[in-house]
Amino acid sequence: MEQEIVIKPYEPIDDEAMKNMCIRNMFHTQRLTRGALIQWTIGAYGLSKIILRLSIVHIALSVFFQLFGLDLLKAALASFASIILILAILYGIVLPNNMKKIGKYYTDIEVAQDFVNIKEKFMGEKKCFWIATQKVSTPTPKERIVGCVLAEPYNWEKDEMKLASRRKEMGEVAELRRMSVAQDLRGKGIGMRLGLELKRFCKEKGYNYVVLGTLANNYSAITLYKKIGFELTRYSYFFLGRMMPFCGAQMVLKL
């Protein structure tokens, strides 16, 4: 028989397990597939600029192969094949490996820090960290953390979502972070319950808006946030490692 899921403010039950759940879910729900990398590259640079740059490379390689005795047609074909090979290596090996390294660095440094001194950092008058727990009886009775979410004041100094121009209009803004649900319990309404509890808290504390950011290919999370009441307001691109574009989805909930 499945045990009841309880949503409550943070208690120090098993911070390490909760951190590991969040990290696993980040790599599971926001997979950096080859298709996503190609789509984000086109979105970040623009299709016309990419075609122009590839055309210049194609012409340069054709001239290079002609210098080695190939006729115009064979040189053009060799150039085309070389570009296809380079792109296959770039998007099949180089960029995915670099993305994994960046992802591991981010989770080891940025994400892990959020799970150190949770009570001191995230429990207060205008901020709260919630956990979803389930009682388990094996091997010994205990509570298992199966979900979490965090609400805190939006950081206007960093302003990662570029909202500064709307600061007066928006008033008090909270940010939703670290929403995560155990993989084996998805589809059971835990994320919705966590989101609605956060929404209730933010209304009670006088916030006017709640904002969040996630990767654009995190479709399951975006669907959940829309059900809670968030609207997808914009997509934005940012770069890591100079040539590696990421596409972020920004969502806003008006209270």
Side-chain angles (χ1 to χ4, degrees), residues 235-247:
Y235 290 106
S236 58
Y237 293 92
F238 55 99
F239 291 83
L240 294 176
R242 294 184 180 179
M243 61 183 298
M244 292 182 288
F246 285 76
C247 182

Side-chain angles (χ1 to χ4, degrees), residues 13-24 144-145:
I13 295 172
D14 192 342
D15 293 356
E16 185 68 17
M18 183 163 56
K19 179 191 76 174
N20 292 335
M21 176 188 69
C22 287
I23 290 174
R24 281 195 306 271
R144 172 197 173 202
I145 295 180

Side-chain angles (χ1 to χ4, degrees), residues 216-248:
N217 66 336
N218 194 354
Y219 305 115
S220 59
I222 290 173
T223 299
L224 169 64
Y225 295 137
K226 285 181 177 178
K227 289 179 180 178
I228 294 170
F230 284 87
E231 292 184 5
L232 180 57
T233 55
R234 65 187 288 243
Y235 290 106
S236 58
Y237 293 92
F238 55 99
F239 291 83
L240 294 176
R242 294 184 180 179
M243 61 183 298
M244 292 182 288
F246 285 76
C247 182

Side-chain angles (χ1 to χ4, degrees), residues 15 19 111-122:
D15 293 356
K19 179 191 76 174
V111 178
Q113 284 301 309
D114 278 350
F115 295 91
V116 178
N117 298 325
I118 292 175
K119 186 174 182 179
E120 181 181 330
K121 288 180 181 176
F122 303 125

Side-chain angles (χ1 to χ4, degrees), residues 66-121:
Q66 287 179 65
L67 293 175
F68 284 86
L70 295 182
D71 61 38
L72 181 61
L73 178 59
K74 289 181 179 179
L77 290 173
S79 173
F80 181 76
S82 298
I83 290 173
I84 295 297
L85 178 61
I86 291 169
L87 290 176
I89 293 172
L90 183 64
Y91 284 93
I93 300 173
V94 177
L95 289 182
N97 286 341
N98 283 345
M99 293 284 195
K100 286 178 183 177
K101 290 178 182 177
I102 291 171
K104 188 174 186 309
Y105 174 82
Y106 175 73
T107 55
D108 288 349
I109 303 299
E110 297 290 334
V111 178
Q113 284 301 309
D114 278 350
F115 295 91
V116 178
N117 298 325
I118 292 175
K119 186 174 182 179
E120 181 181 330
K121 288 180 181 176

